[in-house]
Amino acid sequence: MAQPAAGASAAELTVLVGDELPAHAEFVQHLRAGQEPGSRFELVRLAPAAGTDAALPVETTARTDTEPERNAIAGVRTRSLRAAPADAALTLAVGAPAARAALERPGQQPLVLAMLSRLDYESLRASSPALRRGDRRVGVLLRDPAMADQLALIGAVLPQKHRVGVVATLESEPLVRELQRAAQNGNPPWDIQVEYAPDARSLAGALRAVVPRSDALLVLPDLIGDNQAATLSVLRAGAGAGLPVFGASEGLVRSGGLAAAVSTPAQLARQAHLLGQKLTNGAGGSGSPLVESAAPATVRVNITVARGLGLRLPEERELTERLTVTR
């Protein structure tokens, strides 16, 4: 993905961070490194209040042309959070806690909510009226690739197979609907087999039901995909039945999945810059957020698993290029 054009890059970027997740810290580092020389980069870290679970804002400041490259969340001077200045070009919130804080923050400058899961975004839609304010342009960058990209990867690896099995939780319904819409647009359409597991004890039964009806299994980025034990249960079920398992994380591939379309913090930072440019150019207004799924940066393949399944796969680079062309 091309770097932002020099003239369109935000001269004032305020970044809100509400946690210390390594992926979020790496994302912020790439954001900072991508700023134009001489532009202002202001980091706002949400810190917990002493003796409570509440989050209090703490603000830090850095300039891309005066400070050496280092951890973007390293501490410098702090002061209390205030409304963003009127001439601030863009505010960017990293992760769900920061997104909630940013939506309640005074100001009308464009706002990007980044590194959110689809379920994070759906929760914000349901609980935060500020997301639909008509006087602020808002963009949402989801951290995972679209379901259409996930199906495109499965199609590139298994061109003659069209039955994809999924075990989902009740909270995963937005992801299931997106997957089913993408499946209907396939040529030919995909046959999506869905079983629901209301709790961890139901997972084994749901897998026993869906595996015989599937050519491959897909792990969604939901409560199952985010839980190591649950993901391993899906991987074991796939291995026992000789079914490949796909997903959206390198961890899944390392643990025994066949392939994953992965979005890296560096790629997401570039996409966030481009989304910010769209907002500053007028997109995302009228109370309707501009929502983008992550563009897959690369495909990861577990060669050992492929051999065990008797599959000869294209190289990761070729699979990545195929997804890029498909998009």
Side-chain angles (χ1 to χ4, degrees):
M1 187 176 295
Q3 290 284 359
S9 182
E12 299 274 346
L13 179 61
T14 301
V15 179
L16 275 64
V17 179
D19 52 52
E20 299 289 343
L21 294 177
H24 291 181
E26 184 179 349
F27 174 84
V28 172
Q29 284 181 306
H30 288 290
L31 279 177
R32 185 176 185 274
Q35 284 294 100
E36 291 296 323
S39 61
R40 187 167 182 269
F41 182 99
E42 188 171 33
L43 181 67
V44 180
R45 198 191 318 175
L46 304 179
T52 73
D53 293 330
L56 292 180
V58 177
E59 192 166 29
T60 64
T61 301
R63 288 181 180 271
T64 59
D65 57 342
T66 59
E67 291 199 44
E69 287 300 321
R70 58 191 177 98
N71 187 332
I73 308 183
V76 292
R77 291 189 305 163
T78 65
R79 58 184 181 274
S80 61
L81 184 66
R82 67 206 186 300
D87 61 349
L90 186 69
T91 295
L92 192 151
V94 184
R100 285 191 289 270
L103 288 170
E104 299 303 326
R105 192 183 190 209
Q108 296 181 351
Q109 74 281 3
L111 172 63
V112 174
L113 310 179
M115 299 295 280
L116 299 181
S117 70
R118 166 65 70 174
L119 300 185
D120 288 335
Y121 170 59
E122 295 296 338
S123 176
L124 284 174
R125 284 183 62 192
S127 63
S128 181
L131 185 63
R132 298 180 294 276
R133 279 175 45 184
D135 62 342
R136 169 180 279 175
R137 296 190 297 276
V138 178
V140 178
L141 177 58
L142 304 179
R143 71 187 185 199
D144 299 307
M147 288 298 144
D149 289 320
Q150 304 283 25
L151 291 177
L153 173 59
I154 299 174
V157 172
L158 304 172
Q160 304 303 318
K161 307 293 184 180
H162 289 89
R163 300 184 305 164
V164 178
V166 172
V167 176
T169 65
L170 296 178
E171 294 81 5
S172 309
E173 194 59 33
L175 288 168
V176 174
R177 290 196 300 268
E178 181 189 346
L179 177 61
Q180 290 171 334
R181 286 194 299 268
Q184 292 171 1
N185 293 328
N187 186 20
W190 294 85
D191 181 3
I192 305 298
Q193 301 290 324
V194 183
E195 289 289 333
Y196 288 90
D199 52 50
R201 291 177 297 179
S202 307
L203 182 57
L207 285 167
R208 284 194 298 269
V210 78
V211 162
R213 312 197 308 264
S214 306
D215 299 315
L217 300 178
L218 175 63
V219 177
L220 300 177
D222 60 3
L223 295 177
I224 293 176
D226 288 342
N227 182 282
Q228 185 177 19
T231 299
L232 288 175
S233 294
V234 178
L235 289 169
R236 285 194 292 267
L243 296 182
V245 180
F246 296 82
S249 73
E250 293 194 49
L252 179 135
V253 174
R254 290 194 298 267
S255 298
L258 176 61
V262 177
S263 296
T264 64
Q267 177 270 324
L268 286 165
R270 291 194 293 271
Q271 192 172 350
H273 271 298
L274 294 174
L275 180 56
Q277 289 179 35
K278 294 176 185 178
L279 295 182
T280 56
N281 288 332
S286 303
S288 298
L290 180 60
V291 182
E292 293 186 1
S293 295
T298 187
V299 171
R300 295 298 184 213
V301 173
N302 189 317
I303 299 300
T304 301
V305 171
R307 290 172 180 164
L309 294 170
L311 297 173
R312 298 187 64 179
L313 303 186
E315 294 183 355
E316 291 180 343
R317 178 180 298 179
E318 181 179 344
L319 288 170
T320 301
E321 291 174 352
R322 289 190 190 181
L323 257 66
T324 302
V325 170
T326 300
R327 298 187 86 257

